Amino acid sequence: MSLQRVGSLETFVNVPTEGRRSRRGSVSSVAASERARKLTFNPLPESWNPVFNEEEEDGLGQTRGAFEVPQWKRILQVIVMVVFCLFSAGIVFGYAALKPVLKKEGAYQVICNGGDTCVEIHLNLMFTVAAVATNVAALPVGAILDHFGPRVCGVIGSAFLSIGALFMSFAKSLPFDAFLFGYLFLALGGPFTYISSFQLSNAFPRHSGLILALLTGAFDASSALFLVYRIIYEKTAGTFGHHQFFLVYLVVPALILIFQLTLLPKQSYKTVGEMIEEIEAPVFADPSIAANAGDADDQVDEQTALLRQEQQEHYESVVHDIEELLGSNKVDKDKQAQREEARNEKSGVWGVMHNHTAWEQIRSPWFILICLFTVVQMTRINYFVATIRPQYEAIFGDTAKAIEINNFFDLALPLGGIISIPFIGVILDHTSTIAVLATLVTVATTIGVLGVLPYTWAAYANIVLFVLYRPFYYTAVSDYSAKVFGFRTFGKVYGTIICLSGLLNFSQSGLDFLFHKTFNGNPVPVNLLLLTLGLVIGICLVGYVGVQARGLTRKREATGYVNGRGEY
């Protein structure tokens, strides 16, 4: 007896098995005798709502609960993605370590006729384009992730990394600027791999902070890849050149592709909010059906009753799995709610723009000032990464000392991000927004002053502050955006800040020209210009937020602050 495929509640169609014969021995006669026969009754009760497996729906943009995937598999997914981020997420920011290797390998020597300043400007432009692409790519990556899921993002990232590695490897023999385009594709491959991995924090909701910290740490540490390569290059006396290195690097995108198609999730994991909605959803989707379900009980047969019981048991099983995954404990939930309320109140500005549209938020001083500050700081950060060695060569007049400082920076950059991660969250959670902004402006100003002093201690202090400031700054901007503008418009507002800041980073090329041409290799005027801009905008930002925060505090004291939710 074969199973029947029910096309609807009115018809059913026999689907012949390949090679099946009728009693007369003819395959075709079976096919010819197939007829859609109309049922004279509804074989299922009206209140029955079948349970479908999400995997069968095969929707690329859909999500799935972490409880549906074995724990060992989720653990392995997190480990694999942390490793992949370590080798691909932010490798282009290790430019300071790769730059001397490319110079020794003769990059841009033909175009520049051996001119060192010309080579310097071309290589810095290569990094500038990559840095801009990394920031701007966040918007399309987010859209692709939402509509097609993390697997598609991972495959695209793998393709970009492969193209970038091939371009970098064969750059000298290609008829276009393959160094620039190769580095650009390496930069694009990073966000597709890194951003699509964030959803893995939902694989273990109780440890989401740890998972995000691991992924962020891997991103910061990925800049050390080119440092390791430079050490290998020097140890092998230049025999392991960039051509061989980038050919070997093709192993990384190949492994990413293999694991994306096998182990890693095709769909994003559901957030805690989505799973809570699933718990609170009624067993019967239609309220009218649920109301009439009891009346229909005496009209159903035993098989239908079993089906209904199976659905109820499935629902209860899902609820149990979700609660076990979330570790739902009423006492813990109350404590979490109290901590969240205390953090929001501590901020001083939480919820100030939550009830406004994205366009109203973008037109406000809250957005304009933080966006201008981000533009200046991001430009300063990337400019320093690109020019640290020539800057200190000019300041000290000593190439050996500049190389020594550059080597220290190459090691400190990834370590600074990893070391600072545990402390950043604590500072942001227990400090007011005005205090965080004041700290950002003060540290940025200190870095600017140390960067122009001709003392060795100042150079090392500058680097230590810089590598700790960089991850703190980026995290503080996203924290400010979430507290001031809210999560309803977070993607648009924060994405716009980063995108505009990235695009305006093209001004780096102009700063490079001023440094090498206008000021004849003297970095002090450019650094003072950036220091002054950052300080003026920073004072305006801190002043505005301070005044608004005091006004909000007085208003809350007068009208009452409800539940830490910005309601008055």
Side-chain angles (χ1 to χ4, degrees), residues 375-412:
V375 168
V376 174
Q377 297 308 316
M378 190 180 291
T379 302
R380 284 184 66 186
I381 288 170
N382 291 332
Y383 179 70
F384 184 73
V385 171
T387 62
I388 178 172
R389 181 166 165 179
Q391 280 198 45
Y392 281 114
E393 281 181 353
I395 289 174
F396 291 111
D398 186 342
T399 301
K401 182 176 286 189
I403 292 174
E404 180 185 320
I405 294 171
N406 195 159
N407 292 342
F408 175 73
F409 175 77
D410 293 338
L411 181 62

mmCIF file of all heavy atoms in Angstrom, residues 375-412:
data_model
loop_
_atom_site.group_PDB
_atom_site.id
_atom_site.type_symbol
_atom_site.label_atom_id
_atom_site.label_comp_id
_atom_site.label_asym_id
_atom_site.label_seq_id
_atom_site.Cartn_x
_atom_site.Cartn_y
_atom_site.Cartn_z
ATOM 1 N N VAL A 375 33.513 60.738 12.208
ATOM 2 C CA VAL A 375 34.254 60.973 10.959
ATOM 3 C C VAL A 375 35.702 61.349 11.268
ATOM 4 O O VAL A 375 36.654 60.777 10.703
ATOM 5 C CB VAL A 375 33.581 62.090 10.131
ATOM 6 C CG1 VAL A 375 34.504 62.538 9.004
ATOM 7 C CG2 VAL A 375 32.259 61.605 9.557
ATOM 8 N N VAL A 376 35.885 62.293 12.191
ATOM 9 C CA VAL A 376 37.235 62.759 12.517
ATOM 10 C C VAL A 376 38.050 61.653 13.181
ATOM 11 O O VAL A 376 39.208 61.402 12.814
ATOM 12 C CB VAL A 376 37.171 63.999 13.434
ATOM 13 C CG1 VAL A 376 38.575 64.403 13.886
ATOM 14 C CG2 VAL A 376 36.513 65.165 12.709
ATOM 15 N N GLN A 377 37.450 60.958 14.152
ATOM 16 C CA GLN A 377 38.194 59.936 14.883
ATOM 17 C C GLN A 377 38.531 58.736 14.008
ATOM 18 O O GLN A 377 39.634 58.174 14.097
ATOM 19 C CB GLN A 377 37.403 59.486 16.116
ATOM 20 C CG GLN A 377 37.178 60.580 17.134
ATOM 21 C CD GLN A 377 38.471 61.286 17.539
ATOM 22 O OE1 GLN A 377 39.497 60.658 17.778
ATOM 23 N NE2 GLN A 377 38.428 62.607 17.589
ATOM 24 N N MET A 378 37.596 58.338 13.152
ATOM 25 C CA MET A 378 37.868 57.202 12.277
ATOM 26 C C MET A 378 38.972 57.557 11.270
ATOM 27 O O MET A 378 39.839 56.726 10.961
ATOM 28 C CB MET A 378 36.600 56.775 11.523
ATOM 29 C CG MET A 378 36.730 55.461 10.783
ATOM 30 S SD MET A 378 35.228 54.982 9.910
ATOM 31 C CE MET A 378 34.154 54.601 11.273
ATOM 32 N N THR A 379 38.953 58.787 10.790
ATOM 33 C CA THR A 379 40.007 59.231 9.880
ATOM 34 C C THR A 379 41.355 59.232 10.586
ATOM 35 O O THR A 379 42.370 58.779 10.043
ATOM 36 C CB THR A 379 39.689 60.633 9.338
ATOM 37 O OG1 THR A 379 38.417 60.610 8.675
ATOM 38 C CG2 THR A 379 40.751 61.089 8.358
ATOM 39 N N ARG A 380 41.386 59.735 11.824
ATOM 40 C CA ARG A 380 42.630 59.755 12.596
ATOM 41 C C ARG A 380 43.159 58.336 12.826
ATOM 42 O O ARG A 380 44.360 58.071 12.700
ATOM 43 C CB ARG A 380 42.387 60.422 13.958
ATOM 44 C CG ARG A 380 42.270 61.917 13.907
ATOM 45 C CD ARG A 380 42.122 62.485 15.311
ATOM 46 N NE ARG A 380 43.329 62.262 16.105
ATOM 47 C CZ ARG A 380 43.437 62.560 17.395
ATOM 48 N NH1 ARG A 380 42.393 63.081 18.037
ATOM 49 N NH2 ARG A 380 44.558 62.362 18.039
ATOM 50 N N ILE A 381 42.252 57.429 13.188
ATOM 51 C CA ILE A 381 42.652 56.052 13.489
ATOM 52 C C ILE A 381 43.268 55.389 12.259
ATOM 53 O O ILE A 381 44.370 54.822 12.313
ATOM 54 C CB ILE A 381 41.438 55.248 14.013
ATOM 55 C CG1 ILE A 381 41.063 55.710 15.430
ATOM 56 C CG2 ILE A 381 41.732 53.755 13.994
ATOM 57 C CD1 ILE A 381 39.748 55.155 15.930
ATOM 58 N N ASN A 382 42.556 55.448 11.133
ATOM 59 C CA ASN A 382 43.046 54.786 9.922
ATOM 60 C C ASN A 382 44.277 55.474 9.345
ATOM 61 O O ASN A 382 45.161 54.820 8.776
ATOM 62 C CB ASN A 382 41.929 54.724 8.872
ATOM 63 C CG ASN A 382 40.806 53.778 9.281
ATOM 64 O OD1 ASN A 382 41.027 52.816 10.009
ATOM 65 N ND2 ASN A 382 39.596 54.052 8.828
ATOM 66 N N TYR A 383 44.347 56.797 9.495
ATOM 67 C CA TYR A 383 45.515 57.534 9.010
ATOM 68 C C TYR A 383 46.760 57.148 9.803
ATOM 69 O O TYR A 383 47.851 56.976 9.244
ATOM 70 C CB TYR A 383 45.256 59.040 9.111
ATOM 71 C CG TYR A 383 46.414 59.896 8.668
ATOM 72 C CD1 TYR A 383 46.775 59.960 7.317
ATOM 73 C CD2 TYR A 383 47.151 60.646 9.577
ATOM 74 C CE1 TYR A 383 47.837 60.745 6.898
ATOM 75 C CE2 TYR A 383 48.208 61.432 9.171
ATOM 76 C CZ TYR A 383 48.548 61.477 7.830
ATOM 77 O OH TYR A 383 49.613 62.249 7.418
ATOM 78 N N PHE A 384 46.605 56.989 11.115
ATOM 79 C CA PHE A 384 47.740 56.603 11.948
ATOM 80 C C PHE A 384 48.214 55.192 11.604
ATOM 81 O O PHE A 384 49.419 54.925 11.528
ATOM 82 C CB PHE A 384 47.349 56.690 13.424
ATOM 83 C CG PHE A 384 48.481 56.404 14.374
ATOM 84 C CD1 PHE A 384 49.500 57.319 14.552
ATOM 85 C CD2 PHE A 384 48.535 55.207 15.070
ATOM 86 C CE1 PHE A 384 50.554 57.063 15.429
ATOM 87 C CE2 PHE A 384 49.581 54.934 15.941
ATOM 88 C CZ PHE A 384 50.595 55.860 16.118
ATOM 89 N N VAL A 385 47.251 54.270 11.387
ATOM 90 C CA VAL A 385 47.606 52.897 11.011
ATOM 91 C C VAL A 385 48.402 52.885 9.708
ATOM 92 O O VAL A 385 49.378 52.141 9.557
ATOM 93 C CB VAL A 385 46.341 52.027 10.877
ATOM 94 C CG1 VAL A 385 46.673 50.658 10.285
ATOM 95 C CG2 VAL A 385 45.664 51.841 12.239
ATOM 96 N N ALA A 386 47.999 53.736 8.763
ATOM 97 C CA ALA A 386 48.635 53.739 7.439
ATOM 98 C C ALA A 386 49.995 54.411 7.423
ATOM 99 O O ALA A 386 50.844 54.077 6.586
ATOM 100 C CB ALA A 386 47.705 54.429 6.435
ATOM 101 N N THR A 387 50.235 55.349 8.346
ATOM 102 C CA THR A 387 51.449 56.179 8.224
ATOM 103 C C THR A 387 52.333 56.153 9.465
ATOM 104 O O THR A 387 53.220 57.017 9.599
ATOM 105 C CB THR A 387 51.060 57.647 7.941
ATOM 106 O OG1 THR A 387 50.282 58.147 9.049
ATOM 107 C CG2 THR A 387 50.258 57.777 6.665
ATOM 108 N N ILE A 388 52.162 55.207 10.350
ATOM 109 C CA ILE A 388 52.910 55.227 11.612
ATOM 110 C C ILE A 388 54.425 55.229 11.388
ATOM 111 O O ILE A 388 55.151 55.997 12.025
ATOM 112 C CB ILE A 388 52.492 54.045 12.525
ATOM 113 C CG1 ILE A 388 53.323 54.070 13.817
ATOM 114 C CG2 ILE A 388 52.571 52.711 11.811
ATOM 115 C CD1 ILE A 388 52.862 53.068 14.850
ATOM 116 N N ARG A 389 54.903 54.406 10.472
ATOM 117 C CA ARG A 389 56.358 54.330 10.281
ATOM 118 C C ARG A 389 56.948 55.610 9.693
ATOM 119 O O ARG A 389 57.906 56.156 10.250
ATOM 120 C CB ARG A 389 56.700 53.117 9.423
ATOM 121 C CG ARG A 389 58.190 52.946 9.194
ATOM 122 C CD ARG A 389 58.495 51.589 8.639
ATOM 123 N NE ARG A 389 59.840 51.506 8.091
ATOM 124 C CZ ARG A 389 60.356 50.397 7.558
ATOM 125 N NH1 ARG A 389 59.641 49.291 7.511
ATOM 126 N NH2 ARG A 389 61.579 50.386 7.061
ATOM 127 N N PRO A 390 56.408 56.125 8.568
ATOM 128 C CA PRO A 390 56.982 57.375 8.052
ATOM 129 C C PRO A 390 56.810 58.549 9.014
ATOM 130 O O PRO A 390 57.651 59.465 9.028
ATOM 131 C CB PRO A 390 56.233 57.607 6.733
ATOM 132 C CG PRO A 390 55.025 56.748 6.802
ATOM 133 C CD PRO A 390 55.390 55.584 7.648
ATOM 134 N N GLN A 391 55.750 58.542 9.818
ATOM 135 C CA GLN A 391 55.573 59.619 10.793
ATOM 136 C C GLN A 391 56.724 59.630 11.796
ATOM 137 O O GLN A 391 57.317 60.687 12.065
ATOM 138 C CB GLN A 391 54.240 59.457 11.542
ATOM 139 C CG GLN A 391 53.027 59.955 10.774
ATOM 140 C CD GLN A 391 51.832 60.174 11.679
ATOM 141 O OE1 GLN A 391 51.969 60.757 12.752
ATOM 142 N NE2 GLN A 391 50.663 59.708 11.247
ATOM 143 N N TYR A 392 57.040 58.451 12.343
ATOM 144 C CA TYR A 392 58.096 58.407 13.354
ATOM 145 C C TYR A 392 59.493 58.487 12.727
ATOM 146 O O TYR A 392 60.455 58.895 13.400
ATOM 147 C CB TYR A 392 57.945 57.166 14.233
ATOM 148 C CG TYR A 392 56.865 57.359 15.282
ATOM 149 C CD1 TYR A 392 55.704 56.603 15.263
ATOM 150 C CD2 TYR A 392 57.010 58.335 16.256
ATOM 151 C CE1 TYR A 392 54.713 56.803 16.209
ATOM 152 C CE2 TYR A 392 56.020 58.545 17.205
ATOM 153 C CZ TYR A 392 54.866 57.778 17.186
ATOM 154 O OH TYR A 392 53.887 57.996 18.114
ATOM 155 N N GLU A 393 59.625 58.128 11.470
ATOM 156 C CA GLU A 393 60.896 58.371 10.771
ATOM 157 C C GLU A 393 61.158 59.871 10.692
ATOM 158 O O GLU A 393 62.297 60.329 10.890
ATOM 159 C CB GLU A 393 60.847 57.763 9.366
ATOM 160 C CG GLU A 393 61.080 56.259 9.316
ATOM 161 C CD GLU A 393 61.040 55.734 7.887
ATOM 162 O OE1 GLU A 393 60.698 56.521 6.979
ATOM 163 O OE2 GLU A 393 61.342 54.548 7.685
ATOM 164 N N ALA A 394 60.084 60.642 10.419
ATOM 165 C CA ALA A 394 60.228 62.098 10.318
ATOM 166 C C ALA A 394 60.416 62.739 11.694
ATOM 167 O O ALA A 394 61.230 63.660 11.858
ATOM 168 C CB ALA A 394 58.996 62.691 9.630
ATOM 169 N N ILE A 395 59.693 62.258 12.701
ATOM 170 C CA ILE A 395 59.766 62.848 14.043
ATOM 171 C C ILE A 395 61.130 62.611 14.687
ATOM 172 O O ILE A 395 61.722 63.522 15.280
ATOM 173 C CB ILE A 395 58.632 62.295 14.934
ATOM 174 C CG1 ILE A 395 57.282 62.857 14.472
ATOM 175 C CG2 ILE A 395 58.873 62.644 16.409
ATOM 176 C CD1 ILE A 395 56.085 62.258 15.181
ATOM 177 N N PHE A 396 61.660 61.368 14.557
ATOM 178 C CA PHE A 396 62.926 61.027 15.213
ATOM 179 C C PHE A 396 64.140 61.163 14.286
ATOM 180 O O PHE A 396 65.273 61.200 14.759
ATOM 181 C CB PHE A 396 62.876 59.598 15.767
ATOM 182 C CG PHE A 396 61.931 59.430 16.927
ATOM 183 C CD1 PHE A 396 60.775 58.696 16.798
ATOM 184 C CD2 PHE A 396 62.199 60.028 18.142
ATOM 185 C CE1 PHE A 396 59.900 58.546 17.862
ATOM 186 C CE2 PHE A 396 61.336 59.881 19.221
ATOM 187 C CZ PHE A 396 60.174 59.146 19.080
ATOM 188 N N GLY A 397 63.878 61.169 12.962
ATOM 189 C CA GLY A 397 65.001 61.206 12.028
ATOM 190 C C GLY A 397 65.844 59.964 12.114
ATOM 191 O O GLY A 397 67.049 59.989 11.810
ATOM 192 N N ASP A 398 65.235 58.856 12.512
ATOM 193 C CA ASP A 398 65.963 57.606 12.729
ATOM 194 C C ASP A 398 65.100 56.447 12.223
ATOM 195 O O ASP A 398 64.080 56.106 12.841
ATOM 196 C CB ASP A 398 66.267 57.436 14.218
ATOM 197 C CG ASP A 398 67.161 56.230 14.498
ATOM 198 O OD1 ASP A 398 67.260 55.351 13.635
ATOM 199 O OD2 ASP A 398 67.728 56.155 15.612
ATOM 200 N N THR A 399 65.509 55.840 11.114
ATOM 201 C CA THR A 399 64.730 54.751 10.516
ATOM 202 C C THR A 399 64.679 53.531 11.425
ATOM 203 O O THR A 399 63.629 52.880 11.559
ATOM 204 C CB THR A 399 65.323 54.351 9.154
ATOM 205 O OG1 THR A 399 65.325 55.491 8.291
ATOM 206 C CG2 THR A 399 64.504 53.248 8.511
ATOM 207 N N ALA A 400 65.783 53.211 12.071
ATOM 208 C CA ALA A 400 65.836 52.029 12.945
ATOM 209 C C ALA A 400 64.856 52.167 14.109
ATOM 210 O O ALA A 400 64.151 51.207 14.468
ATOM 211 C CB ALA A 400 67.253 51.820 13.456
ATOM 212 N N LYS A 401 64.812 53.359 14.699
ATOM 213 C CA LYS A 401 63.886 53.559 15.818
ATOM 214 C C LYS A 401 62.436 53.520 15.334
ATOM 215 O O LYS A 401 61.557 52.987 16.032
ATOM 216 C CB LYS A 401 64.177 54.908 16.491
ATOM 217 C CG LYS A 401 63.294 55.180 17.710
ATOM 218 C CD LYS A 401 63.672 56.480 18.407
ATOM 219 C CE LYS A 401 64.963 56.304 19.180
ATOM 220 N NZ LYS A 401 65.248 57.475 20.042
ATOM 221 N N ALA A 402 62.180 54.053 14.147
ATOM 222 C CA ALA A 402 60.828 54.017 13.580
ATOM 223 C C ALA A 402 60.382 52.574 13.324
ATOM 224 O O ALA A 402 59.217 52.216 13.565
ATOM 225 C CB ALA A 402 60.775 54.834 12.291
ATOM 226 N N ILE A 403 61.293 51.732 12.823
ATOM 227 C CA ILE A 403 60.979 50.319 12.590
ATOM 228 C C ILE A 403 60.678 49.616 13.913
ATOM 229 O O ILE A 403 59.745 48.805 14.018
ATOM 230 C CB ILE A 403 62.146 49.626 11.857
ATOM 231 C CG1 ILE A 403 62.267 50.173 10.433
ATOM 232 C CG2 ILE A 403 61.943 48.108 11.840
ATOM 233 C CD1 ILE A 403 63.477 49.654 9.677
ATOM 234 N N GLU A 404 61.470 49.946 14.946
ATOM 235 C CA GLU A 404 61.252 49.351 16.265
ATOM 236 C C GLU A 404 59.869 49.709 16.813
ATOM 237 O O GLU A 404 59.139 48.857 17.338
ATOM 238 C CB GLU A 404 62.342 49.843 17.222
ATOM 239 C CG GLU A 404 62.234 49.302 18.631
ATOM 240 C CD GLU A 404 63.286 49.927 19.539
ATOM 241 O OE1 GLU A 404 64.442 50.102 19.091
ATOM 242 O OE2 GLU A 404 62.939 50.252 20.690
ATOM 243 N N ILE A 405 59.483 50.974 16.663
ATOM 244 C CA ILE A 405 58.163 51.429 17.127
ATOM 245 C C ILE A 405 57.060 50.786 16.300
ATOM 246 O O ILE A 405 56.017 50.366 16.829
ATOM 247 C CB ILE A 405 58.081 52.972 17.060
ATOM 248 C CG1 ILE A 405 59.054 53.587 18.068
ATOM 249 C CG2 ILE A 405 56.673 53.456 17.323
ATOM 250 C CD1 ILE A 405 59.204 55.088 17.936
ATOM 251 N N ASN A 406 57.278 50.692 14.987
ATOM 252 C CA ASN A 406 56.322 50.059 14.085
ATOM 253 C C ASN A 406 56.095 48.590 14.475
ATOM 254 O O ASN A 406 54.965 48.099 14.494
ATOM 255 C CB ASN A 406 56.821 50.158 12.649
ATOM 256 C CG ASN A 406 55.732 49.858 11.612
ATOM 257 O OD1 ASN A 406 55.833 50.255 10.458
ATOM 258 N ND2 ASN A 406 54.680 49.163 12.003
ATOM 259 N N ASN A 407 57.181 47.876 14.792
ATOM 260 C CA ASN A 407 57.065 46.470 15.203
ATOM 261 C C ASN A 407 56.260 46.327 16.499
ATOM 262 O O ASN A 407 55.452 45.398 16.649
ATOM 263 C CB ASN A 407 58.453 45.854 15.380
ATOM 264 C CG ASN A 407 59.198 45.713 14.062
ATOM 265 O OD1 ASN A 407 58.592 45.748 12.993
ATOM 266 N ND2 ASN A 407 60.514 45.572 14.129
ATOM 267 N N PHE A 408 56.509 47.251 17.436
ATOM 268 C CA PHE A 408 55.737 47.224 18.686
ATOM 269 C C PHE A 408 54.255 47.463 18.413
ATOM 270 O O PHE A 408 53.382 46.818 19.008
ATOM 271 C CB PHE A 408 56.281 48.295 19.642
ATOM 272 C CG PHE A 408 55.488 48.426 20.913
ATOM 273 C CD1 PHE A 408 55.567 47.455 21.897
ATOM 274 C CD2 PHE A 408 54.654 49.521 21.116
ATOM 275 C CE1 PHE A 408 54.829 47.575 23.066
ATOM 276 C CE2 PHE A 408 53.918 49.646 22.280
ATOM 277 C CZ PHE A 408 54.001 48.673 23.253
ATOM 278 N N PHE A 409 53.967 48.385 17.502
ATOM 279 C CA PHE A 409 52.576 48.682 17.146
ATOM 280 C C PHE A 409 51.895 47.473 16.507
ATOM 281 O O PHE A 409 50.732 47.170 16.816
ATOM 282 C CB PHE A 409 52.532 49.879 16.191
ATOM 283 C CG PHE A 409 51.159 50.187 15.662
ATOM 284 C CD1 PHE A 409 50.230 50.829 16.456
ATOM 285 C CD2 PHE A 409 50.795 49.827 14.368
ATOM 286 C CE1 PHE A 409 48.952 51.113 15.971
ATOM 287 C CE2 PHE A 409 49.527 50.101 13.879
ATOM 288 C CZ PHE A 409 48.607 50.751 14.688
ATOM 289 N N ASP A 410 52.604 46.785 15.607
ATOM 290 C CA ASP A 410 52.027 45.607 14.944
ATOM 291 C C ASP A 410 51.604 44.545 15.953
ATOM 292 O O ASP A 410 50.586 43.857 15.754
ATOM 293 C CB ASP A 410 53.051 45.003 13.971
ATOM 294 C CG ASP A 410 53.340 45.918 12.797
ATOM 295 O OD1 ASP A 410 52.490 46.781 12.509
ATOM 296 O OD2 ASP A 410 54.416 45.776 12.183
ATOM 297 N N LEU A 411 52.352 44.396 17.018
ATOM 298 C CA LEU A 411 52.023 43.419 18.055
ATOM 299 C C LEU A 411 50.951 43.948 19.006
ATOM 300 O O LEU A 411 50.047 43.213 19.423
ATOM 301 C CB LEU A 411 53.282 43.063 18.850
ATOM 302 C CG LEU A 411 53.126 42.017 19.970
ATOM 303 C CD1 LEU A 411 52.685 40.681 19.391
ATOM 304 C CD2 LEU A 411 54.430 41.861 20.735
ATOM 305 N N ALA A 412 51.020 45.232 19.329
ATOM 306 C CA ALA A 412 50.101 45.821 20.309
ATOM 307 C C ALA A 412 48.688 45.981 19.759
ATOM 308 O O ALA A 412 47.718 45.910 20.528
ATOM 309 C CB ALA A 412 50.630 47.184 20.758
#
